[in-house]
Amino acid sequence: MNLASTNSHPQCVLAIDLGSGGPKAILYSADGRLLASASRKVDTYLTADGGGEQDANQWWRAVCEAAREVTAAGVVPRESIVAIACATQWSVIVPVDQAGEPLHNAIHWTDSRGARHTKRVMDGPIKVSGYGVRQLIRWLRMTGGVPTHSGADSLAHVLFLKHERPDVYRAAYKLLEPMDFINFRLTGRCAASYSTAFPYLLTDNRNARRIDYDPVLLAWSGVDREKLPDLLPVDTVLGPVKPEMAELWGVPRETPVVIGIGDTQAALVGSGAVAEYAGHVCVGTTSWMSCHVPFKKTHIGNFIATMPAALPGRNMVMAEQGAAGKCLETFLDQWLLADDALSHAPRPADAWERLEQLVSSVAPGSDGLIFLPWLNGAGPPSGDADMRGGFWNQSLLHHRGHAARAVMEGVTYNLRWVRDAIGRFTGRPFAELNFIGGGARSPTWCQTLANVLNVPVRQMADPTYALARGAALTALAALGKLPLEEIPRVVKVRATFEPQAEHRATYDELFKAFLAAYKANRPLFRRLNRSPLRRPAIADPPA
């Protein structure tokens, strides 16, 4: 539990951020203070056939525990809590009954088992980028997106349940994204917002203020409309919290629950980048870069599109890249702490501080060692699910310090690649970037980002709570307690990192080598990873 001292009792929001690793709960005040926080862990189960699942009951227990811990601390009187707001991971589907009870593990965004079903839906005699032309035109025109070849979107997960778990699909009352599942349990009202419905890829998004399911896309995909939640505007108050939940969570009766948002939408608001074309970058388990834009657009070649934002009538750029901080976490746990992992010892409390010291002991550029970060496939601007990662150009002189810095730099090269593509997409290159997520805690990563991208990088205060902060800020705006234009003032900057000219040539050269490594290794990874015989053996999830 973390507490912030306060001499007054401002109005505040109980905000939940349910990420892939588990939930964070915070109390966030209308004047921009993080008053208390708590977190829990959840598990992800990977299967040898490309499956990825999480237990929604574990989500719910973890969220309730974290929320109760925050309110029980007594940092503010109960009556100071004026709203509950939730932001979560997305492209994750949980089938529920009419009481909101899960009927099956949630199908996670790491799951690729539905890809073959969307491939069939998107097939046609004439193809562009692997999609039938007729389907491609309709999907892009209506949604602004298109079903992924990797099967990482919610439509693929829904189709997996329909065709491979038909008993679950038939029994399901609704197929929900995580934030809508949590709000259903909190209020008893089942609905999605214009933004949380996007990953179903079945909505007409041409007008961000009036979105509904497209009957043609429903018919083509074979998804039953009654299995999907009704849609509401992004600033809707879903309803009051149920009395028993108010008691459990320690909030006032009738506390309004604001409709949920995806973590990507929440991050943009929580970074303070609410003006059009103001950029932010997040490095958490995954990484992404985004900004609000006044248009709807898709670039299928770069896998970059716009999607409905958390702010009414607004769109935002969508360019999420896959594993990022997870790469560094994997390196830490499976390489640096391998002996501890074998003995099932917990990660040392100072592990990240020691890793920071290790990285900072090596010169920028890691003496030519390059890390390819596509441990779970490459996202925008390449969109290649077969790509994988590893160290490149390693010599006998490189040690674990070089490897640790190279992982950080490899993720950052990938962000430079997508930054350049977004600049072409919007016509407005980023002049600076607000940096959030776990990666933003590292001063070395902040400086590396500034050097590799050659722009000022603003390290935002409390960067690991930016997603929950975004949920809180959107709730305050929805309730009329905080004007949108005040959000950049409320969100504080911890430090600004300027590009260091002496490292520009090094990083320009290594970035070119990074792109060359992608091009050179792509055929090899495609050959290796399209054979089921070469899949790793991973334990199946519990029933």
Side-chain angles (χ1 to χ4, degrees):
M1 164 69 69
N2 295 317
L3 301 177
S5 61
T6 176
N7 298 319
S8 60
H9 303 305
Q11 292 184 327
C12 58
V13 176
L14 172 58
I16 305 296
D17 162 25
L18 172 61
S20 293
K24 299 182 182 74
I26 68 169
L27 283 176
Y28 189 79
S29 71
D31 59 359
R33 286 183 287 166
L34 177 64
L35 302 177
S37 65
S39 62
R40 293 292 188 276
K41 297 291 186 182
V42 298
D43 301 311
T44 302
Y45 307 105
L46 303 178
T47 67
D49 62 348
E53 299 181 6
Q54 291 190 333
D55 180 354
N57 283 316
Q58 187 187 32
W59 290 348
W60 181 244
R61 291 191 299 269
V63 165
C64 289
E65 289 172 5
R68 180 59 184 167
E69 182 178 342
V70 163
T71 60
V75 68
V76 295
R78 176 182 292 205
E79 59 269 20
S80 296
I81 301 174
V82 299
I84 298 172
C86 182
T88 73
Q89 57 182 325
W90 51 288
S91 285
V92 181
I93 288 294
V94 55
V96 300
D97 63 17
Q98 289 187 310
E101 293 292 334
L103 301 176
H104 188 278
N105 279 342
I107 310 302
H108 196 248
W109 56 263
T110 56
D111 196 296
S112 62
R113 292 174 293 181
R116 57 183 172 271
H117 302 296
T118 52
K119 181 179 180 181
R120 185 183 64 252
V121 169
M122 299 300 293
D123 198 16
I126 302 175
K127 295 183 178 65
V128 174
S129 298
Y131 299 102
V133 170
R134 183 178 69 141
Q135 294 94 324
L136 182 62
I137 291 172
R138 181 80 185 189
W139 248 280
L140 291 178
R141 179 168 172 261
M142 292 295 158
T143 72
V146 65
T148 61
H149 292 308
S150 66
D153 51 78
S154 293
L155 176 57
H157 305 332
V158 169
L159 293 177
F160 167 76
L161 289 172
K162 179 174 182 176
H163 296 291
E164 301 190 38
R165 303 291 186 272
D167 54 333
V168 174
Y169 181 86
R170 285 193 301 268
Y173 167 59
K174 297 293 180 186
L175 305 165
L176 299 178
E177 289 280 337
M179 72 294 288
D180 301 322
F181 162 75
I182 292 171
N183 275 358
F184 187 18
R185 298 289 290 266
L186 281 173
T187 67
R189 186 181 183 189
C190 186
S193 79
Y194 292 168
S195 65
T196 63
F198 177 81
Y200 295 96
L201 294 171
L202 295 170
T203 51
D204 180 350
N205 300 323
R206 289 175 294 176
N207 182 346
R209 293 188 178 274
R210 191 176 66 252
I211 291 176
D212 204 352
Y213 297 105
D214 179 65
V216 174
L217 298 183
L218 286 169
W220 284 356
S221 62
V223 175
D224 298 288
R225 167 64 183 87
E226 62 268 20
K227 299 293 184 183
L228 303 176
D230 291 339
L231 304 182
L232 297 169
V234 295
D235 55 352
T236 299
V237 175
L238 194 61
V241 65
K242 293 191 292 187
E244 63 270 26
M245 292 309 308
E247 184 65 26
L248 176 64
W249 281 26
V251 299
R253 284 177 173 261
E254 304 294 313
T255 299
V257 178
V258 178
I259 201 162
I261 54 178
D263 54 13
T264 309
Q265 293 100 327
L268 190 48
V269 177
S271 75
V274 296
E276 289 181 352
Y277 302 106
H280 96 291
V281 58
C282 179
V283 174
T285 301
T286 62
S287 66
W288 62 79
M289 194 175 291
S290 186
C291 63
H292 289 107
V293 291
F295 53 78
K296 172 181 170 292
K297 182 180 177 181
T298 302
H299 192 303
I300 188 171
N302 283 338
F303 295 88
I304 296 175
T306 58
M307 63 186 292
L311 304 180
R314 304 279 292 277
N315 286 301
M316 58 177 283
V317 173
M318 179 183 65
E320 186 166 359
Q321 292 183 276
K326 187 65 175 177
C327 294
L328 197 60
E329 183 180 29
T330 299
F331 175 75
L332 176 66
D333 290 339
Q334 298 184 18
W335 295 86
L336 293 186
L337 302 177
D339 291 341
D340 292 334
L342 289 173
S343 65
H344 302 288
R347 183 190 294 161
D350 65 343
W352 288 109
E353 288 77 10
R354 288 160 53 191
L355 184 64
E356 176 76 10
Q357 294 174 359
L358 188 64
V359 170
S360 62
S361 69
V362 174
S366 304
D367 287 328
L369 183 63
I370 295 175
F371 176 74
L372 309 183
W374 308 298
L375 301 187
N376 195 44
S382 64
D384 191 333
D386 296 321
M387 287 300 294
R388 292 295 181 267
F391 293 102
W392 195 65
N393 198 39
Q394 184 174 356
S395 77
L396 293 174
L397 299 178
H398 291 123
H399 52 69
R400 61 182 182 174
H402 290 98
R405 179 178 271 278
V407 172
M408 188 178 288
E409 290 172 337
V411 172
T412 310
Y413 298 145
N414 213 36
L415 287 168
R416 173 167 168 175
W417 194 13
V418 80
R419 186 277 311 269
D420 293 346
I422 291 175
R424 293 189 295 270
F425 182 85
T426 64
R428 302 279 190 91
F430 294 127
E432 62 182 10
L433 288 165
N434 291 359
F435 190 17
I436 60 170
R441 292 179 300 181
S442 164
T444 304
W445 210 329
C446 293
Q447 188 61 64
T448 299
L449 191 66
N451 288 344
V452 173
L453 273 64
N454 196 37
V455 295
V457 169
R458 305 202 305 172
Q459 180 192 38
M460 308 310 290
D462 301 313
T464 58
Y465 295 103
L467 280 63
R469 179 168 64 225
L473 290 168
T474 54
L476 290 166
L479 295 172
K481 297 181 180 297
L482 180 68
L484 292 176
E485 59 270 16
E486 288 294 303
I487 290 177
R489 178 188 60 80
V490 170
V491 180
K492 305 296 191 295
V493 178
R494 177 182 294 171
T496 298
F497 292 78
E498 298 289 340
Q500 296 170 320
E502 62 269 29
H503 301 305
R504 184 170 182 180
T506 295
Y507 279 131
D508 284 349
E509 182 62 29
L510 289 172
F511 177 64
K512 292 177 184 177
F514 176 84
L515 296 181
Y518 172 85
K519 184 177 180 180
N521 285 286
R522 189 177 188 184
L524 173 63
F525 285 132
R526 180 165 293 183
R527 187 166 71 251
L528 287 174
N529 295 310
R530 289 191 175 182
S531 169
L533 298 177
R534 297 185 176 94
R535 289 189 181 275
I538 307 173
D540 286 344

